[in-house]
Amino acid sequence: MPMIFEHSTLGQRVMFGTGKAAEYVAAEIDRLGASRPMVIAAEPERALAERAAARITPSLWWDRVVQHVPVEVAEQARTAAEQNDADVVVSVGGGSTTGLAKAIALTTGIPVIAVPTTYAGSEATNVWGMTEDRTKTTGSDPQVLPVAVVYDAELSKTLPVGLSVASGLNGMAHCVDSLWAPRTDPINQALALEGARALSLALRGIVADAQDMEAREQALYGCYLAAVSFAGAGSGLHHKICHVLGGTFDLPHAQTHATVLPYVLALNAPAVPELAGRLATALGAQGTAGDPAAAAIAALAELYRAVNAPFRLADFGFAEEGIPEAVQRIVKAAPASNPVPVNDQNMTQLLTAALTGDRPRTGVAA
């Protein structure tokens, strides 16, 4: 078959170097000609942010960071940025911190320099998300794409192993979703598969030795590829599910993505055997000829066992009575291009299985 597709690559400067965050942040501020940086970092990340900002003089420190970016928090941060004449925002932290910086950029146009301390990947996308009245709304806008990303594995060294695993599997979810998301193309898929390979190896390394800096670097590399593929491919079913669970039920972002992923893979993989086989290979499977979907599901399950991944939504506050509302919202938001048609029945099965941690099985959600 002829290869016909349209691919857009986002323009962004990426600076990667362990121990170089302060140097790179200062260099990027100089390059932008900025002089009044606003630094965003939640209180637990303040020490890391001070290290990253060691060579600059912030005009404002902002530490009110809330997951899923409530609209009211975004408005407060925007007002503070404007009142302090901030001309650049430096975000140091995970996805919620980057998300708040993006919310500021969305309405003010102030450029963002992102310094990730987790493997969320938001720093490499032009996607924003905010929550209001228990509903998370997302969109894309070139104005929210950070102009620069500074990756320094030293800043992720203090991230506990459990959170490292959940955050890395959040990145893995970007990879898997990008294989069949609405705008996917061969370039996005190639990036996603390499990201999945790198993250699989990195997470095993971090679990074996939390101070393994090569593994931490591989995790940052993998999450970046995952996010770039996601930015191009768009938001697939997995992300629609997790946006509902996070925005409506306030479930933790990374843990929710990590928990839901195996069930979405089990639902979709049989409908896309060629992609499933390539994913299985990326995850380390030795043979996929017999049943590529089963191989991909088994390879992901083996990784989850190896890294002691989260596997029950009940552990994070979701309850059975929330399933009907969640299903209604998910079915409404699900992309029509999903490999398997989304309906009340298979979403109820998927959430019921993910709630209790029932083992995903090939071809069905539970």
Side-chain angles (χ1 to χ4, degrees):
M1 294 180 63
M3 187 178 291
I4 301 172
F5 63 90
E6 179 179 322
H7 179 84
S8 296
T9 300
L10 301 179
Q12 183 182 63
R13 184 176 174 88
V14 176
M15 306 184 75
F16 202 113
T18 298
K20 290 185 172 291
E23 174 188 340
Y24 287 165
V25 167
E28 284 305 289
I29 288 178
D30 285 345
R31 185 177 69 88
L32 294 171
S35 60
R36 295 187 58 80
M38 172 184 183
V39 179
I40 300 177
E43 187 58 38
E45 280 75 55
R46 179 63 182 250
L48 295 177
E50 289 177 347
R51 287 169 58 185
R55 299 191 185 185
I56 65 174
T57 303
S59 64
L60 171 66
W61 286 88
W62 182 271
D63 63 6
R64 189 176 183 208
V65 176
V66 182
Q67 69 172 356
H68 309 303
V69 192
V71 167
E72 61 272 19
V73 175
E75 290 291 352
Q76 292 167 3
R78 289 165 177 164
T79 299
E82 292 174 335
Q83 289 178 344
N84 285 270
D85 296 323
D87 55 6
V88 64
V89 174
V90 179
S91 64
V92 184
S96 297
T97 306
T98 308
L100 180 57
K102 287 180 169 184
I104 295 171
L106 181 65
T107 59
T108 66
I110 300 173
V112 175
I113 298 171
V115 187
T117 62
T118 72
Y119 312 122
S122 176
E123 66 278 356
T125 79
N126 61 352
V127 178
W128 57 267
M130 285 180 278
T131 303
E132 185 174 25
D133 296 330
R134 299 179 66 242
T135 299
K136 187 169 185 175
T137 302
T138 63
S140 60
D141 191 304
Q143 193 156 265
V144 308
L145 179 71
V147 297
V149 183
V150 172
Y151 287 114
D152 181 346
E154 283 285 346
L155 300 183
S156 71
K157 192 164 62 173
T158 59
L159 189 66
V161 170
L163 285 178
S164 295
V165 168
S167 184
L169 292 175
N170 180 14
M172 183 71 74
H174 286 103
C175 296
V176 176
D177 222 20
S178 295
L179 295 177
W180 46 64
R183 300 192 307 272
T184 195
D185 62 41
I187 296 174
N188 295 323
Q189 291 166 350
L191 293 170
L193 291 166
E194 170 61 5
R197 183 203 65 81
L199 284 166
S200 178
L201 294 175
L203 292 179
R204 295 173 191 272
I206 291 170
V207 169
D209 179 4
Q211 303 303 309
D212 183 343
M213 297 311 295
E214 289 188 10
R216 297 269 182 190
E217 288 180 341
Q218 281 292 304
L220 289 173
Y221 164 69
C223 84
Y224 172 73
L225 294 178
V228 172
S229 65
F230 172 69
S235 185
L237 175 63
H238 173 90
H239 282 78
K240 299 300 184 183
I241 292 171
C242 292
H243 288 163
V244 168
L245 294 176
T248 303
F249 300 94
D250 200 31
L251 269 61
H253 184 87
Q255 292 89 337
T256 299
H257 278 269
T259 303
V260 168
L261 176 58
Y263 300 95
V264 178
L265 178 62
L267 176 70
N268 281 335
V272 283
E274 190 269 338
L275 287 171
R278 292 170 67 189
L279 176 63
T281 300
L283 294 176
Q286 297 303 306
T288 65
D291 186 342
I297 294 164
L300 187 66
E302 196 280 325
L303 172 63
Y304 270 54
R305 286 191 294 271
V307 300
N308 194 26
F311 65 96
R312 297 195 321 161
L313 290 176
D315 292 336
F316 307 111
F318 192 56
E320 186 175 2
E321 54 265 31
I323 291 177
E325 181 183 3
V327 167
Q328 180 185 21
R329 288 173 177 261
I330 291 165
V331 171
K332 183 179 179 180
S337 60
N338 192 64
V340 173
V342 175
N343 55 48
D344 288 0
Q345 181 179 1
N346 57 22
M347 288 302 98
T348 298
Q349 291 176 339
L350 188 153
L351 290 180
T352 300
L355 174 69
T356 58
D358 288 350
R359 182 173 63 88
R361 299 180 180 89
T362 309
V364 293

PDB file of all heavy atoms in Angstrom, residues 116-151:
ATOM      1  N   PRO A 116      11.397  19.530  33.764  1.00  0.00           N
ATOM      2  CA  PRO A 116      10.643  18.420  34.349  1.00  0.00           C
ATOM      3  C   PRO A 116      11.434  17.687  35.427  1.00  0.00           C
ATOM      4  O   PRO A 116      12.648  17.487  35.300  1.00  0.00           O
ATOM      5  CB  PRO A 116      10.384  17.491  33.149  1.00  0.00           C
ATOM      6  CG  PRO A 116      10.745  18.284  31.932  1.00  0.00           C
ATOM      7  CD  PRO A 116      11.766  19.273  32.367  1.00  0.00           C
ATOM      8  N   THR A 117      10.739  17.268  36.467  1.00  0.00           N
ATOM      9  CA  THR A 117      11.341  16.428  37.504  1.00  0.00           C
ATOM     10  C   THR A 117      10.681  15.056  37.545  1.00  0.00           C
ATOM     11  O   THR A 117      11.027  14.232  38.380  1.00  0.00           O
ATOM     12  CB  THR A 117      11.212  17.101  38.887  1.00  0.00           C
ATOM     13  OG1 THR A 117       9.822  17.262  39.201  1.00  0.00           O
ATOM     14  CG2 THR A 117      11.887  18.462  38.895  1.00  0.00           C
ATOM     15  N   THR A 118       9.707  14.824  36.662  1.00  0.00           N
ATOM     16  CA  THR A 118       9.044  13.526  36.536  1.00  0.00           C
ATOM     17  C   THR A 118       9.063  13.139  35.061  1.00  0.00           C
ATOM     18  O   THR A 118       9.672  13.805  34.231  1.00  0.00           O
ATOM     19  CB  THR A 118       7.600  13.569  37.059  1.00  0.00           C
ATOM     20  OG1 THR A 118       6.783  14.321  36.142  1.00  0.00           O
ATOM     21  CG2 THR A 118       7.520  14.199  38.437  1.00  0.00           C
ATOM     22  N   TYR A 119       8.328  12.087  34.726  1.00  0.00           N
ATOM     23  CA  TYR A 119       8.317  11.579  33.363  1.00  0.00           C
ATOM     24  C   TYR A 119       6.951  11.791  32.702  1.00  0.00           C
ATOM     25  O   TYR A 119       6.550  11.032  31.815  1.00  0.00           O
ATOM     26  CB  TYR A 119       8.708  10.094  33.369  1.00  0.00           C
ATOM     27  CG  TYR A 119       9.940   9.841  34.203  1.00  0.00           C
ATOM     28  CD1 TYR A 119       9.932   8.967  35.286  1.00  0.00           C
ATOM     29  CD2 TYR A 119      11.129  10.520  33.931  1.00  0.00           C
ATOM     30  CE1 TYR A 119      11.067   8.762  36.062  1.00  0.00           C
ATOM     31  CE2 TYR A 119      12.265  10.329  34.698  1.00  0.00           C
ATOM     32  CZ  TYR A 119      12.225   9.458  35.760  1.00  0.00           C
ATOM     33  OH  TYR A 119      13.349   9.275  36.531  1.00  0.00           O
ATOM     34  N   ALA A 120       6.252  12.848  33.108  1.00  0.00           N
ATOM     35  CA  ALA A 120       4.895  13.097  32.623  1.00  0.00           C
ATOM     36  C   ALA A 120       4.854  13.428  31.136  1.00  0.00           C
ATOM     37  O   ALA A 120       3.933  13.038  30.425  1.00  0.00           O
ATOM     38  CB  ALA A 120       4.261  14.234  33.427  1.00  0.00           C
ATOM     39  N   GLY A 121       5.810  14.211  30.641  1.00  0.00           N
ATOM     40  CA  GLY A 121       5.877  14.508  29.220  1.00  0.00           C
ATOM     41  C   GLY A 121       5.120  15.733  28.761  1.00  0.00           C
ATOM     42  O   GLY A 121       5.208  16.111  27.589  1.00  0.00           O
ATOM     43  N   SER A 122       4.379  16.380  29.640  1.00  0.00           N
ATOM     44  CA  SER A 122       3.590  17.539  29.231  1.00  0.00           C
ATOM     45  C   SER A 122       4.449  18.630  28.611  1.00  0.00           C
ATOM     46  O   SER A 122       3.985  19.402  27.761  1.00  0.00           O
ATOM     47  CB  SER A 122       2.836  18.101  30.445  1.00  0.00           C
ATOM     48  OG  SER A 122       2.126  19.270  30.113  1.00  0.00           O
ATOM     49  N   GLU A 123       5.709  18.675  29.012  1.00  0.00           N
ATOM     50  CA  GLU A 123       6.597  19.735  28.540  1.00  0.00           C
ATOM     51  C   GLU A 123       6.827  19.695  27.032  1.00  0.00           C
ATOM     52  O   GLU A 123       7.238  20.702  26.442  1.00  0.00           O
ATOM     53  CB  GLU A 123       7.943  19.637  29.257  1.00  0.00           C
ATOM     54  CG  GLU A 123       8.761  18.396  28.949  1.00  0.00           C
ATOM     55  CD  GLU A 123       8.361  17.160  29.731  1.00  0.00           C
ATOM     56  OE1 GLU A 123       7.467  17.271  30.604  1.00  0.00           O
ATOM     57  OE2 GLU A 123       8.943  16.091  29.480  1.00  0.00           O
ATOM     58  N   ALA A 124       6.584  18.576  26.391  1.00  0.00           N
ATOM     59  CA  ALA A 124       6.878  18.436  24.965  1.00  0.00           C
ATOM     60  C   ALA A 124       5.635  18.496  24.089  1.00  0.00           C
ATOM     61  O   ALA A 124       5.699  18.175  22.907  1.00  0.00           O
ATOM     62  CB  ALA A 124       7.619  17.129  24.710  1.00  0.00           C
ATOM     63  N   THR A 125       4.507  18.913  24.654  1.00  0.00           N
ATOM     64  CA  THR A 125       3.274  18.977  23.867  1.00  0.00           C
ATOM     65  C   THR A 125       2.702  20.390  23.875  1.00  0.00           C
ATOM     66  O   THR A 125       3.007  21.206  24.755  1.00  0.00           O
ATOM     67  CB  THR A 125       2.198  18.024  24.416  1.00  0.00           C
ATOM     68  OG1 THR A 125       1.547  18.608  25.563  1.00  0.00           O
ATOM     69  CG2 THR A 125       2.791  16.687  24.801  1.00  0.00           C
ATOM     70  N   ASN A 126       1.838  20.642  22.907  1.00  0.00           N
ATOM     71  CA  ASN A 126       1.103  21.911  22.849  1.00  0.00           C
ATOM     72  C   ASN A 126      -0.315  21.734  23.390  1.00  0.00           C
ATOM     73  O   ASN A 126      -1.219  22.490  23.035  1.00  0.00           O
ATOM     74  CB  ASN A 126       1.066  22.450  21.418  1.00  0.00           C
ATOM     75  CG  ASN A 126       0.370  21.497  20.457  1.00  0.00           C
ATOM     76  OD1 ASN A 126       0.032  20.361  20.812  1.00  0.00           O
ATOM     77  ND2 ASN A 126       0.156  21.946  19.235  1.00  0.00           N
ATOM     78  N   VAL A 127      -0.484  20.746  24.240  1.00  0.00           N
ATOM     79  CA  VAL A 127      -1.795  20.430  24.817  1.00  0.00           C
ATOM     80  C   VAL A 127      -1.910  21.048  26.203  1.00  0.00           C
ATOM     81  O   VAL A 127      -0.995  20.930  27.022  1.00  0.00           O
ATOM     82  CB  VAL A 127      -1.998  18.905  24.908  1.00  0.00           C
ATOM     83  CG1 VAL A 127      -3.334  18.573  25.562  1.00  0.00           C
ATOM     84  CG2 VAL A 127      -1.917  18.280  23.518  1.00  0.00           C
ATOM     85  N   TRP A 128      -3.023  21.728  26.458  1.00  0.00           N
ATOM     86  CA  TRP A 128      -3.301  22.270  27.780  1.00  0.00           C
ATOM     87  C   TRP A 128      -4.538  21.578  28.344  1.00  0.00           C
ATOM     88  O   TRP A 128      -5.350  21.022  27.598  1.00  0.00           O
ATOM     89  CB  TRP A 128      -3.520  23.787  27.741  1.00  0.00           C
ATOM     90  CG  TRP A 128      -4.624  24.218  26.801  1.00  0.00           C
ATOM     91  CD1 TRP A 128      -4.508  24.591  25.502  1.00  0.00           C
ATOM     92  CD2 TRP A 128      -6.028  24.293  27.107  1.00  0.00           C
ATOM     93  NE1 TRP A 128      -5.735  24.898  24.954  1.00  0.00           N
ATOM     94  CE2 TRP A 128      -6.686  24.735  25.931  1.00  0.00           C
ATOM     95  CE3 TRP A 128      -6.784  24.048  28.248  1.00  0.00           C
ATOM     96  CZ2 TRP A 128      -8.069  24.914  25.865  1.00  0.00           C
ATOM     97  CZ3 TRP A 128      -8.165  24.230  28.191  1.00  0.00           C
ATOM     98  CH2 TRP A 128      -8.784  24.660  27.008  1.00  0.00           C
ATOM     99  N   GLY A 129      -4.681  21.609  29.670  1.00  0.00           N
ATOM    100  CA  GLY A 129      -5.860  21.036  30.309  1.00  0.00           C
ATOM    101  C   GLY A 129      -6.176  21.781  31.600  1.00  0.00           C
ATOM    102  O   GLY A 129      -5.263  22.101  32.361  1.00  0.00           O
ATOM    103  N   MET A 130      -7.450  22.066  31.799  1.00  0.00           N
ATOM    104  CA  MET A 130      -7.906  22.710  33.033  1.00  0.00           C
ATOM    105  C   MET A 130      -9.228  22.094  33.462  1.00  0.00           C
ATOM    106  O   MET A 130      -9.980  21.567  32.633  1.00  0.00           O
ATOM    107  CB  MET A 130      -8.046  24.218  32.841  1.00  0.00           C
ATOM    108  CG  MET A 130      -6.723  24.965  32.812  1.00  0.00           C
ATOM    109  SD  MET A 130      -6.912  26.752  32.580  1.00  0.00           S
ATOM    110  CE  MET A 130      -7.107  26.802  30.790  1.00  0.00           C
ATOM    111  N   THR A 131      -9.494  22.177  34.764  1.00  0.00           N
ATOM    112  CA  THR A 131     -10.680  21.540  35.327  1.00  0.00           C
ATOM    113  C   THR A 131     -11.591  22.575  35.967  1.00  0.00           C
ATOM    114  O   THR A 131     -11.137  23.446  36.709  1.00  0.00           O
ATOM    115  CB  THR A 131     -10.272  20.482  36.369  1.00  0.00           C
ATOM    116  OG1 THR A 131      -9.410  19.525  35.753  1.00  0.00           O
ATOM    117  CG2 THR A 131     -11.491  19.772  36.935  1.00  0.00           C
ATOM    118  N   GLU A 132     -12.887  22.438  35.667  1.00  0.00           N
ATOM    119  CA  GLU A 132     -13.905  23.303  36.253  1.00  0.00           C
ATOM    120  C   GLU A 132     -15.196  22.516  36.375  1.00  0.00           C
ATOM    121  O   GLU A 132     -15.596  21.807  35.437  1.00  0.00           O
ATOM    122  CB  GLU A 132     -14.126  24.539  35.372  1.00  0.00           C
ATOM    123  CG  GLU A 132     -15.081  25.556  35.978  1.00  0.00           C
ATOM    124  CD  GLU A 132     -15.155  26.826  35.141  1.00  0.00           C
ATOM    125  OE1 GLU A 132     -14.880  26.769  33.930  1.00  0.00           O
ATOM    126  OE2 GLU A 132     -15.489  27.887  35.711  1.00  0.00           O
ATOM    127  N   ASP A 133     -15.842  22.610  37.523  1.00  0.00           N
ATOM    128  CA  ASP A 133     -17.108  21.896  37.766  1.00  0.00           C
ATOM    129  C   ASP A 133     -16.982  20.404  37.463  1.00  0.00           C
ATOM    130  O   ASP A 133     -17.824  19.824  36.771  1.00  0.00           O
ATOM    131  CB  ASP A 133     -18.241  22.511  36.928  1.00  0.00           C
ATOM    132  CG  ASP A 133     -18.537  23.943  37.310  1.00  0.00           C
ATOM    133  OD1 ASP A 133     -18.348  24.296  38.490  1.00  0.00           O
ATOM    134  OD2 ASP A 133     -18.938  24.715  36.434  1.00  0.00           O
ATOM    135  N   ARG A 134     -15.916  19.795  37.954  1.00  0.00           N
ATOM    136  CA  ARG A 134     -15.687  18.354  37.826  1.00  0.00           C
ATOM    137  C   ARG A 134     -15.531  17.893  36.379  1.00  0.00           C
ATOM    138  O   ARG A 134     -15.703  16.719  36.068  1.00  0.00           O
ATOM    139  CB  ARG A 134     -16.824  17.555  38.485  1.00  0.00           C
ATOM    140  CG  ARG A 134     -16.978  17.803  39.980  1.00  0.00           C
ATOM    141  CD  ARG A 134     -18.126  17.009  40.582  1.00  0.00           C
ATOM    142  NE  ARG A 134     -17.873  15.575  40.536  1.00  0.00           N
ATOM    143  CZ  ARG A 134     -18.622  14.712  39.857  1.00  0.00           C
ATOM    144  NH1 ARG A 134     -19.638  15.139  39.130  1.00  0.00           N
ATOM    145  NH2 ARG A 134     -18.339  13.422  39.872  1.00  0.00           N
ATOM    146  N   THR A 135     -15.198  18.807  35.501  1.00  0.00           N
ATOM    147  CA  THR A 135     -14.990  18.448  34.099  1.00  0.00           C
ATOM    148  C   THR A 135     -13.645  18.979  33.643  1.00  0.00           C
ATOM    149  O   THR A 135     -13.379  20.181  33.746  1.00  0.00           O
ATOM    150  CB  THR A 135     -16.099  19.032  33.213  1.00  0.00           C
ATOM    151  OG1 THR A 135     -17.372  18.502  33.634  1.00  0.00           O
ATOM    152  CG2 THR A 135     -15.871  18.675  31.741  1.00  0.00           C
ATOM    153  N   LYS A 136     -12.805  18.078  33.135  1.00  0.00           N
ATOM    154  CA  LYS A 136     -11.501  18.479  32.624  1.00  0.00           C
ATOM    155  C   LYS A 136     -11.618  18.750  31.130  1.00  0.00           C
ATOM    156  O   LYS A 136     -12.043  17.890  30.356  1.00  0.00           O
ATOM    157  CB  LYS A 136     -10.455  17.402  32.882  1.00  0.00           C
ATOM    158  CG  LYS A 136      -9.032  17.855  32.517  1.00  0.00           C
ATOM    159  CD  LYS A 136      -7.988  16.881  33.027  1.00  0.00           C
ATOM    160  CE  LYS A 136      -6.577  17.401  32.770  1.00  0.00           C
ATOM    161  NZ  LYS A 136      -5.553  16.528  33.350  1.00  0.00           N
ATOM    162  N   THR A 137     -11.243  19.955  30.757  1.00  0.00           N
ATOM    163  CA  THR A 137     -11.265  20.365  29.358  1.00  0.00           C
ATOM    164  C   THR A 137      -9.834  20.460  28.854  1.00  0.00           C
ATOM    165  O   THR A 137      -8.964  21.000  29.541  1.00  0.00           O
ATOM    166  CB  THR A 137     -11.961  21.727  29.200  1.00  0.00           C
ATOM    167  OG1 THR A 137     -13.291  21.621  29.711  1.00  0.00           O
ATOM    168  CG2 THR A 137     -12.010  22.148  27.733  1.00  0.00           C
ATOM    169  N   THR A 138      -9.594  19.930  27.669  1.00  0.00           N
ATOM    170  CA  THR A 138      -8.270  20.012  27.071  1.00  0.00           C
ATOM    171  C   THR A 138      -8.367  20.659  25.699  1.00  0.00           C
ATOM    172  O   THR A 138      -9.430  20.697  25.080  1.00  0.00           O
ATOM    173  CB  THR A 138      -7.621  18.622  26.923  1.00  0.00           C
ATOM    174  OG1 THR A 138      -8.417  17.825  26.030  1.00  0.00           O
ATOM    175  CG2 THR A 138      -7.507  17.926  28.266  1.00  0.00           C
ATOM    176  N   GLY A 139      -7.253  21.162  25.247  1.00  0.00           N
ATOM    177  CA  GLY A 139      -7.178  21.753  23.917  1.00  0.00           C
ATOM    178  C   GLY A 139      -5.727  21.844  23.500  1.00  0.00           C
ATOM    179  O   GLY A 139      -4.819  21.525  24.275  1.00  0.00           O
ATOM    180  N   SER A 140      -5.496  22.262  22.289  1.00  0.00           N
ATOM    181  CA  SER A 140      -4.121  22.454  21.827  1.00  0.00           C
ATOM    182  C   SER A 140      -3.982  23.868  21.295  1.00  0.00           C
ATOM    183  O   SER A 140      -4.905  24.424  20.693  1.00  0.00           O
ATOM    184  CB  SER A 140      -3.750  21.439  20.749  1.00  0.00           C
ATOM    185  OG  SER A 140      -4.598  21.564  19.627  1.00  0.00           O
ATOM    186  N   ASP A 141      -2.819  24.446  21.556  1.00  0.00           N
ATOM    187  CA  ASP A 141      -2.544  25.818  21.138  1.00  0.00           C
ATOM    188  C   ASP A 141      -1.028  25.976  21.070  1.00  0.00           C
ATOM    189  O   ASP A 141      -0.330  25.636  22.033  1.00  0.00           O
ATOM    190  CB  ASP A 141      -3.139  26.808  22.150  1.00  0.00           C
ATOM    191  CG  ASP A 141      -3.131  28.238  21.642  1.00  0.00           C
ATOM    192  OD1 ASP A 141      -2.037  28.728  21.279  1.00  0.00           O
ATOM    193  OD2 ASP A 141      -4.190  28.879  21.621  1.00  0.00           O
ATOM    194  N   PRO A 142      -0.511  26.465  19.954  1.00  0.00           N
ATOM    195  CA  PRO A 142       0.954  26.609  19.862  1.00  0.00           C
ATOM    196  C   PRO A 142       1.533  27.523  20.923  1.00  0.00           C
ATOM    197  O   PRO A 142       2.721  27.411  21.270  1.00  0.00           O
ATOM    198  CB  PRO A 142       1.156  27.191  18.453  1.00  0.00           C
ATOM    199  CG  PRO A 142      -0.163  27.748  18.045  1.00  0.00           C
ATOM    200  CD  PRO A 142      -1.187  26.904  18.726  1.00  0.00           C
ATOM    201  N   GLN A 143       0.707  28.403  21.502  1.00  0.00           N
ATOM    202  CA  GLN A 143       1.195  29.352  22.489  1.00  0.00           C
ATOM    203  C   GLN A 143       1.606  28.680  23.799  1.00  0.00           C
ATOM    204  O   GLN A 143       2.426  29.221  24.542  1.00  0.00           O
ATOM    205  CB  GLN A 143       0.110  30.405  22.755  1.00  0.00           C
ATOM    206  CG  GLN A 143       0.578  31.611  23.520  1.00  0.00           C
ATOM    207  CD  GLN A 143      -0.296  32.823  23.265  1.00  0.00           C
ATOM    208  OE1 GLN A 143      -0.004  33.649  22.422  1.00  0.00           O
ATOM    209  NE2 GLN A 143      -1.381  32.930  24.005  1.00  0.00           N
ATOM    210  N   VAL A 144       1.064  27.498  24.093  1.00  0.00           N
ATOM    211  CA  VAL A 144       1.372  26.845  25.369  1.00  0.00           C
ATOM    212  C   VAL A 144       2.582  25.917  25.277  1.00  0.00           C
ATOM    213  O   VAL A 144       3.076  25.448  26.313  1.00  0.00           O
ATOM    214  CB  VAL A 144       0.162  26.052  25.915  1.00  0.00           C
ATOM    215  CG1 VAL A 144      -1.082  26.916  25.953  1.00  0.00           C
ATOM    216  CG2 VAL A 144      -0.094  24.775  25.131  1.00  0.00           C
ATOM    217  N   LEU A 145       3.054  25.628  24.078  1.00  0.00           N
ATOM    218  CA  LEU A 145       4.235  24.766  23.952  1.00  0.00           C
ATOM    219  C   LEU A 145       5.442  25.469  24.554  1.00  0.00           C
ATOM    220  O   LEU A 145       5.810  26.562  24.128  1.00  0.00           O
ATOM    221  CB  LEU A 145       4.512  24.462  22.480  1.00  0.00           C
ATOM    222  CG  LEU A 145       5.742  23.592  22.202  1.00  0.00           C
ATOM    223  CD1 LEU A 145       5.487  22.152  22.638  1.00  0.00           C
ATOM    224  CD2 LEU A 145       6.125  23.664  20.726  1.00  0.00           C
ATOM    225  N   PRO A 146       6.080  24.887  25.570  1.00  0.00           N
ATOM    226  CA  PRO A 146       7.287  25.520  26.118  1.00  0.00           C
ATOM    227  C   PRO A 146       8.311  25.785  25.019  1.00  0.00           C
ATOM    228  O   PRO A 146       8.552  24.928  24.159  1.00  0.00           O
ATOM    229  CB  PRO A 146       7.786  24.492  27.137  1.00  0.00           C
ATOM    230  CG  PRO A 146       6.543  23.796  27.599  1.00  0.00           C
ATOM    231  CD  PRO A 146       5.701  23.691  26.360  1.00  0.00           C
ATOM    232  N   VAL A 147       8.918  26.971  25.062  1.00  0.00           N
ATOM    233  CA  VAL A 147       9.911  27.300  24.042  1.00  0.00           C
ATOM    234  C   VAL A 147      11.175  26.484  24.232  1.00  0.00           C
ATOM    235  O   VAL A 147      11.947  26.278  23.291  1.00  0.00           O
ATOM    236  CB  VAL A 147      10.238  28.808  24.048  1.00  0.00           C
ATOM    237  CG1 VAL A 147       9.011  29.626  23.706  1.00  0.00           C
ATOM    238  CG2 VAL A 147      10.814  29.241  25.393  1.00  0.00           C
ATOM    239  N   ALA A 148      11.399  26.013  25.458  1.00  0.00           N
ATOM    240  CA  ALA A 148      12.575  25.207  25.748  1.00  0.00           C
ATOM    241  C   ALA A 148      12.257  24.219  26.862  1.00  0.00           C
ATOM    242  O   ALA A 148      11.443  24.497  27.747  1.00  0.00           O
ATOM    243  CB  ALA A 148      13.757  26.087  26.160  1.00  0.00           C
ATOM    244  N   VAL A 149      12.913  23.070  26.788  1.00  0.00           N
ATOM    245  CA  VAL A 149      12.819  22.061  27.836  1.00  0.00           C
ATOM    246  C   VAL A 149      14.223  21.737  28.308  1.00  0.00           C
ATOM    247  O   VAL A 149      15.127  21.519  27.494  1.00  0.00           O
ATOM    248  CB  VAL A 149      12.149  20.768  27.334  1.00  0.00           C
ATOM    249  CG1 VAL A 149      12.001  19.765  28.478  1.00  0.00           C
ATOM    250  CG2 VAL A 149      10.797  21.057  26.708  1.00  0.00           C
ATOM    251  N   VAL A 150      14.401  21.726  29.612  1.00  0.00           N
ATOM    252  CA  VAL A 150      15.687  21.394  30.210  1.00  0.00           C
ATOM    253  C   VAL A 150      15.536  20.067  30.952  1.00  0.00           C
ATOM    254  O   VAL A 150      14.784  19.979  31.926  1.00  0.00           O
ATOM    255  CB  VAL A 150      16.160  22.499  31.175  1.00  0.00           C
ATOM    256  CG1 VAL A 150      17.407  22.054  31.928  1.00  0.00           C
ATOM    257  CG2 VAL A 150      16.416  23.797  30.415  1.00  0.00           C
ATOM    258  N   TYR A 151      16.212  19.049  30.456  1.00  0.00           N
ATOM    259  CA  TYR A 151      16.175  17.731  31.088  1.00  0.00           C
ATOM    260  C   TYR A 151      17.461  17.507  31.865  1.00  0.00           C
ATOM    261  O   TYR A 151      18.556  17.508  31.296  1.00  0.00           O
ATOM    262  CB  TYR A 151      16.021  16.629  30.039  1.00  0.00           C
ATOM    263  CG  TYR A 151      14.652  16.529  29.418  1.00  0.00           C
ATOM    264  CD1 TYR A 151      14.460  16.817  28.066  1.00  0.00           C
ATOM    265  CD2 TYR A 151      13.556  16.106  30.160  1.00  0.00           C
ATOM    266  CE1 TYR A 151      13.211  16.708  27.479  1.00  0.00           C
ATOM    267  CE2 TYR A 151      12.294  16.003  29.585  1.00  0.00           C
ATOM    268  CZ  TYR A 151      12.132  16.295  28.244  1.00  0.00           C
ATOM    269  OH  TYR A 151      10.884  16.179  27.668  1.00  0.00           O
TER     270      TYR A 151
END
